[in-house]
Structures are given as structure tokens and as C-alpha cells.
Amino acid sequence: MSENRMVSVKLPENLYQELVLRIPEGDRSIFIREAISEKLQKTPKADKILALEERMGKIEEEFAQIRKYLADLEILTFQHGKINPHQFCIDELDHKIMEYLLHYKSATTPELADYLKTNRWLILNRLRKIEKTSKKQAGKPIVEYYAGDRSGKKKAWWLDEELIQE
């Protein structure tokens, strides 16, 4: 057993009177020591909380990875043709981008920038955000960038038509 240390405690009068009534004079130190020990057993340690938070983060990452694999295998139970593409839009600009993609099925960032009269880098960032958000929520991105030649377009963003509402 380790060395004992002296601790001074101020108690409210009614609590002190209760202690005097219930615990004999020679046993009060032991009682207080055991009460503190019991309370400490119930109080989680800060490092344990940190370790639990880290474990939760790892579990969330692993769950996201499993979800990605299931989506890649198309086992994830998103319903084909049931996703509203506008649910991933945060403002009017995103809605206009989505409307253009719904109409033309694909677009390059310069095309969208000309159509919307804005900076193509802003368009690129918005498309990436829509891609990331939709992948996180639906398991598959609703828009995807394809650098190669596809239907006569190179380096374009394509709408995944099997995911959208019909």
C-alpha cells in the first residue's frame, strides 16, 4: 500500500452533522477514504475517454470503407432512380450547375463557367463538394469527373443517370 497523504476538506454543517451521527469517530477517515475511492472508480479517466474517441474515429473510418466497398459492388441498398440530385446542392449556384447537368448529362468546368458567368475554379470546387457529399450520403457520387474521351467530350463532369429520380 502507498503512503497516505493529509487532505483538508470543508463540509457544509448539515453534511458534517450527518457524518458525526452515522460514522463513529475512529472510522471517519476510513469512511471518507473509501467514499473517495468509490467515487473515483465511477469517474472515467481522461486518457480512457481520449482512447475511446480514437477507437470511435477508427470504427467510423472502417464503416465508411465498408460502405464504399459495398457501393462499388452495388450491394449497398440505395434504390436506383430514387435520388433527388438537388438534395446535394447548398445554394442557387449549385442548383444551376445541377440543372445544366440534368439537361446536358455532362459538362466541362469552362462550359459551366461560361453558362453561369462565373469563375471556373468556383465551379470546380462546387462540383467536387457535390461529388463528395453525394458519395458520403448515397454511397456513390452523383457526379463524376472523367478525364478521357467520352461521348465526344474530354475532361468533363458526368451525371450518374442511374441514381437520379426519373
Side-chain angles (χ1 to χ4, degrees), residues 3-162:
E3 180 182 335
N4 291 333
R5 298 284 180 162
M6 179 72 75
V7 175
S8 167
V9 179
K10 290 186 179 183
L11 299 174
E13 182 64 30
N14 60 346
L15 187 60
Y16 177 74
Q17 291 302 326
E18 192 72 26
L19 184 69
V20 168
L21 283 174
R22 293 185 180 198
I23 310 299
E25 191 173 334
D27 295 335
R28 289 182 193 150
S29 289
I30 296 169
F31 176 81
I32 293 170
R33 191 171 26 253
E34 288 174 354
I36 292 171
S37 179
E38 285 178 27
K39 186 70 175 181
L40 285 174
Q41 292 295 324
K42 294 177 184 176
T43 306
K45 295 180 181 178
D47 58 339
K48 284 189 177 182
I49 292 173
L50 182 62
L52 288 173
E53 286 177 351
E54 289 174 0
R55 284 182 63 196
M56 273 304 286
K58 288 179 183 175
I59 289 170
E60 288 173 350
E61 287 175 14
E62 290 171 0
F63 182 72
Q65 194 69 24
I66 290 170
R67 204 176 151 147
K68 179 187 173 292
Y69 291 145
L70 290 176
D72 289 344
L73 296 171
E74 296 187 1
I75 295 174
L76 189 64
T77 58
F78 65 83
Q79 296 176 332
H80 294 284
K82 297 293 183 182
I83 296 175
N84 177 4
H86 289 281
Q87 76 185 28
F88 307 110
C89 302
I90 58 172
D91 64 3
E92 192 60 35
L93 180 64
D94 286 356
H95 286 289
K96 287 179 181 178
I97 292 170
M98 195 55 64
E99 282 300 321
Y100 188 92
L101 288 172
L102 286 167
H103 187 266
Y104 294 104
K105 310 299 182 216
S106 70
T108 63
T109 52
E111 286 173 350
L112 284 166
D114 288 343
Y115 174 74
L116 298 170
K117 308 281 189 267
T118 189
N119 184 338
R120 71 181 185 96
W121 294 104
L122 176 62
I123 301 294
L124 177 64
N125 288 333
R126 294 301 182 92
L127 285 165
R128 285 179 178 163
K129 187 178 275 190
I130 291 170
E131 178 184 38
K132 182 179 176 185
T133 305
S134 63
K135 187 172 186 174
K136 190 174 189 179
Q137 291 179 13
K140 286 181 97 174
I142 198 150
V143 292
E144 289 183 302
Y145 178 74
Y146 185 70
D149 189 24
R150 182 170 160 188
S151 298
K153 283 196 176 183
K154 290 183 181 178
K155 298 182 179 178
W157 287 86
W158 292 84
L159 191 63
D160 189 346
E161 294 181 44
E162 75 175 25

